[in-house]
Amino acid sequence: MFPSLPSSSFLFPLCLLLFFFLLNHSPPAAADPLYQICGKTGNYTGNNTYASNLNILLTSLDANTSLSGGFFNATVGQTPNQIYGLALCRGDTNASVCRSCLDTAIQDAPNLCPYYKGAIIWYDYCLLHYSNQRFLSTVDTSNEILMYNINNITDPSRFDKLLDVLLSRIADWAAYNSTEMFATGEMMNSTKPPFPTIYGLAQCTRDLSRSQCRQCLQGMLVPRPTLFEGKQGARVLGGTCNYRYEIYSFYEGKPTLRLQSPLETAPSPAPTPTPARRAPPLITPPEKEGKKTNVTGMVLAIALPLLAAFLLISIICICFWRRRKPVVRLPLRKCLTIVLKLGALSVDGTRPEDIASVESLLLDISTLRVATANFAEENKLGEGGFGAVYKGRLPDGREIAVKRLSASSSQGFGELRNELVLVAKLQHRNLVRLLGVCMEEQEKLLVYEYLPNRSLDTILFGIVSSSTKI
Ligand SMILES: *[C@@H]1O[C@H](CO)[C@@H](O)[C@H](O)[C@H]1NC(C)=O
Ligand SMILES: *[C@@H]1O[C@H](CO)[C@@H](O)[C@H](O)[C@H]1NC(C)=O
Ligand SMILES: *[C@@H]1O[C@H](CO)[C@@H](O)[C@H](O)[C@H]1NC(C)=O
Ligand SMILES: *[C@@H]1O[C@H](CO)[C@@H](O)[C@H](O)[C@H]1NC(C)=O
Ligand SMILES: *[C@@H]1O[C@H](CO)[C@@H](O)[C@H](O)[C@H]1NC(C)=O
Ligand SMILES: *[C@@H]1O[C@H](CO)[C@@H](O)[C@H](O)[C@H]1NC(C)=O
Ligand SMILES: *[C@@H]1O[C@H](CO)[C@@H](O)[C@H](O)[C@H]1NC(C)=O
Ligand SMILES: *[C@@H]1O[C@H](CO)[C@@H](O)[C@H](O)[C@H]1NC(C)=O
């Protein structure tokens, strides 16, 4: 059974993916929401004060936001039924685009999050956020949606360097120089070797102070999610700030900032293996000048220190690389709930993107330890090739199954991440649902819905086994 695992556990998801794709393939309307997070602060019933306050709030946001330059916040009602809200349009939209995006948002909200007291709904051109809890003027780090363009970039390390520069400049500008707390920018393409122009955008909600805005963007930019590694474009949508980049222009009008690749003018810092390649030019000049005298000595005098330096650098690099690897590969700083949705399309409707929603941060390691009585033997449901599975109960009563990947597990972070993306794409009522993932300390934990009737091997052996039926 085991040797056949990879193929069987891979074939099946592929079929399902196709199935999903066919189901969802109807092209979305231009103004479909990118994502929504329904509030966790309670529900209201159909016909009460809260409902009517919400109505007043939404009407006010709709009416006033486009008139007040693309941002408006409001508070409606008295304490038990008080409701806070804000609406933000992307800084490059004009009033009519802004208004029409919010019209849609306000129509969608009751259907997307019915009877929820709060919601955050993201669109390409606007953001709508309301809640019964005061959230204005504070940086929101708990609601983050990660989306990426599934196309790969050819030279990720070069791309990353340029992107770092571009995004940090854009974030600075949005925070400190823009009255709208919005900035766009271009990192011009270079010619040697050819490299695409990178386009970026960053924005904060204007209830934040300038330093809060920078802090909000900084939290999303550093470190950049590893899900984005090697991708041509990506965005992080947060409750109070967001950014996006692509290798095509996706915003209206001229960029706020036009940057020239810093790698173009300065001699590019040598990637690790170049010392060997750099050696010949250093040695050849003497030969060209025709001074045959003492060539061997000269070559030795140059080559030996060079060789020593090369060895030293290699050793340092290898050590560094080894030590840094787990840190760099660690996909998520905390334990996160990942929900991926398949088949969303971005602005121009042609670039498929994967969406990862990084929602509640409830699944930290201590919660999971409590839930499973510190991975007690009596909670063990079984043991598989990759590690043991424990039954647990979250504070909110939900029963979970926690797969604890053994420290010696052959699943590296990269493979794990790919499996997570895969399984998260396959959210389906007949599949074991992945609730979260926790990577902290030395632990790699996968948290599933506990389904008493589900055969254990769906969790134990690989992520999705072929025994699960559609
Ligand atoms: C609110 O209602 C939704 C269904 O409309 C339900 O899934 C959710 O659990 C409810 N939340 C609370 C806090 O009652
Ligand atoms: C809400 O309540 C009002 C009276 O308070 C009533 O006229 C209306 O029909 C109710 N609407 C719904 C949807 O229940
Ligand atoms: C916002 O719009 C509402 C209409 O829904 C209006 O009554 C209100 O005065 C407006 N508020 C501001 C500050 O313009
Ligand atoms: C918008 O939020 C700010 C900061 O919280 C607050 O001072 C202001 O009164 C709010 N505006 C409205 C119309 O509620
Ligand atoms: C607003 O922008 C859209 C596209 O960005 C454009 O089609 C429309 O004509 C603009 N409207 C006004 C009033 O400028
Ligand atoms: C991008 O690269 C990953 C592996 O690095 C691969 O699985 C994926 O299919 C590639 N995507 C495209 C669109 O080529
Ligand atoms: C942008 O803001 C920074 C910090 O406030 C300031 O030092 C800089 O001069 C500003 N640049 C422009 C062009 O206004
Ligand atoms: C670089 O930009 C120029 C226009 O500025 C464009 O013509 C060219 O195709 C771009 N090259 C690449 C590789 O994207």
Side-chain angles (χ1 to χ4, degrees), residues 72-95:
F72 196 73
N73 64 291
T75 310
V76 172
Q78 300 306 314
T79 343
N81 291 308
Q82 195 161 37
I83 175 163
Y84 306 88
L86 69 75
L88 174 73
C89 286
R90 211 170 78 181
D92 58 333
T93 59
N94 60 28

Side-chain angles (χ1 to χ4, degrees), residues 42-43 114 116:
N43 289 358
Y116 284 88

Side-chain angles (χ1 to χ4, degrees), residues 197-228:
T197 301
I198 312 173
Y199 302 82
L201 172 157
Q203 185 171 27
C204 297
T205 61
R206 279 171 242 162
D207 54 323
L208 298 188
S209 70
R210 293 198 174 277
S211 60
Q212 281 178 319
C213 173
R214 192 63 180 86
Q215 178 199 339
C216 181
L217 289 168
Q218 186 74 8
M220 291 177 167
L221 286 168
V222 182
R224 227 176 11 257
T226 44
L227 269 177
F228 295 175

Side-chain angles (χ1 to χ4, degrees), residues 215-438:
Q215 178 199 339
C216 181
L217 289 168
Q218 186 74 8
M220 291 177 167
L221 286 168
V222 182
R224 227 176 11 257
T226 44
L227 269 177
F228 295 175
E229 269 173 21
K231 300 300 174 199
Q232 286 184 357
R235 49 178 129 179
V236 179
L237 308 172
T240 51
C241 65
N242 63 76
Y243 72 84
R244 179 178 182 188
Y245 59 88
E246 300 285 354
I247 56 168
Y248 60 95
S249 175
F250 58 91
Y251 46 76
E252 284 293 318
K254 287 209 173 81
T256 325
L257 297 167
R258 264 221 161 88
L259 307 179
Q260 194 65 49
S261 161
L263 309 178
E264 190 85 328
T265 42
S268 64
T272 24
T274 36
R277 237 184 284 147
R278 204 189 267 172
L282 277 181
I283 297 170
T284 37
E287 283 178 350
K288 270 186 186 160
E289 284 157 33
K291 294 191 177 177
K292 292 272 172 188
T293 50
N294 213 358
V295 171
T296 2
M298 210 154 168
V299 168
L300 277 183
I302 296 169
L304 277 183
L306 213 69
L307 192 69
F310 174 60
L311 282 178
L312 196 70
I313 290 171
S314 306
I315 290 168
I316 291 171
C317 286
I318 288 168
C319 290
F320 229 79
W321 184 66
R322 284 244 169 113
R323 288 177 58 143
R324 275 183 45 179
K325 202 175 174 192
V327 182
V328 173
R329 303 293 306 180
L330 198 68
L332 305 158
R333 274 163 295 164
K334 295 174 190 152
C335 301
L336 302 169
T337 305
I338 299 188
V339 183
L340 280 115
K341 203 169 103 183
L342 189 70
L345 298 173
S346 69
V347 192
D348 58 3
T350 58
R351 318 249 170 178
E353 290 173 298
D354 282 347
I355 306 180
S357 143
V358 180
E359 287 186 38
S360 66
L361 304 178
L362 295 175
L363 298 175
D364 61 32
I365 187 109
S366 53
T367 310
L368 294 179
R369 278 195 202 286
V370 171
T372 58
N374 201 15
F375 304 106
E377 201 60 28
E378 68 262 24
N379 285 333
K380 198 186 252 187
L381 295 169
E383 182 103 38
F386 293 126
V389 176
Y390 300 84
K391 190 180 163 186
R393 187 183 283 274
L394 289 177
D396 66 6
R398 264 186 299 172
E399 291 200 304
I400 53 171
V402 183
K403 178 172 165 183
R404 187 187 201 185
L405 300 178
S406 43
S408 60
S409 160
S410 59
Q411 279 182 306
F413 277 110
E415 297 155 55
L416 189 62
R417 187 187 55 191
N418 291 342
E419 287 200 25
L420 287 177
V421 170
L422 196 60
V423 79
K425 278 176 181 170
L426 295 172
Q427 303 288 2
H428 186 272
R429 68 195 154 87
N430 286 329
L431 292 176
V432 177
R433 209 155 78 86
L434 180 74
L435 296 176
V437 51
C438 175

Side-chain angles (χ1 to χ4, degrees), residues 76-242:
V76 172
Q78 300 306 314
T79 343
N81 291 308
Q82 195 161 37
I83 175 163
Y84 306 88
L86 69 75
L88 174 73
C89 286
R90 211 170 78 181
D92 58 333
T93 59
N94 60 28
S96 65
V97 172
C98 174
R99 180 73 194 253
S100 109
C101 182
L102 286 171
D103 284 346
T104 313
I106 273 129
Q107 269 177 11
D108 287 351
N111 305 322
L112 293 172
C113 297
Y115 303 120
Y116 284 88
K117 285 193 170 176
I120 310 181
I121 310 177
W122 288 270
Y123 294 80
D124 261 322
Y125 297 125
C126 64
L127 158 75
L128 174 66
H129 186 179
Y130 58 86
S131 173
N132 61 332
Q133 292 188 348
R134 183 183 292 279
F135 62 85
L136 295 168
S137 305
T138 48
V139 175
D140 176 5
T141 54
S142 61
N143 298 298
E144 283 183 10
I145 306 298
L146 313 180
M147 300 171 73
Y148 57 86
N149 188 320
I150 59 171
N151 296 313
N152 294 330
I153 201 77
T154 44
D155 186 349
S157 68
R158 184 181 170 90
F159 187 73
D160 276 354
K161 279 185 201 119
L162 296 176
L163 194 56
D164 279 340
V165 175
L166 176 67
L167 291 177
S168 101
R169 289 285 303 277
I170 292 176
D172 279 340
W173 195 276
Y176 298 120
N177 298 84
S178 160
T179 47
E180 285 87 31
M181 291 198 168
F182 171 82
T184 55
E186 288 178 17
M187 177 61 81
M188 303 298 266
N189 68 16
S190 26
T191 43
K192 33 180 190 170
F195 203 73
T197 301
I198 312 173
Y199 302 82
L201 172 157
Q203 185 171 27
C204 297
T205 61
R206 279 171 242 162
D207 54 323
L208 298 188
S209 70
R210 293 198 174 277
S211 60
Q212 281 178 319
C213 173
R214 192 63 180 86
Q215 178 199 339
C216 181
L217 289 168
Q218 186 74 8
M220 291 177 167
L221 286 168
V222 182
R224 227 176 11 257
T226 44
L227 269 177
F228 295 175
E229 269 173 21
K231 300 300 174 199
Q232 286 184 357
R235 49 178 129 179
V236 179
L237 308 172
T240 51
C241 65
N242 63 76

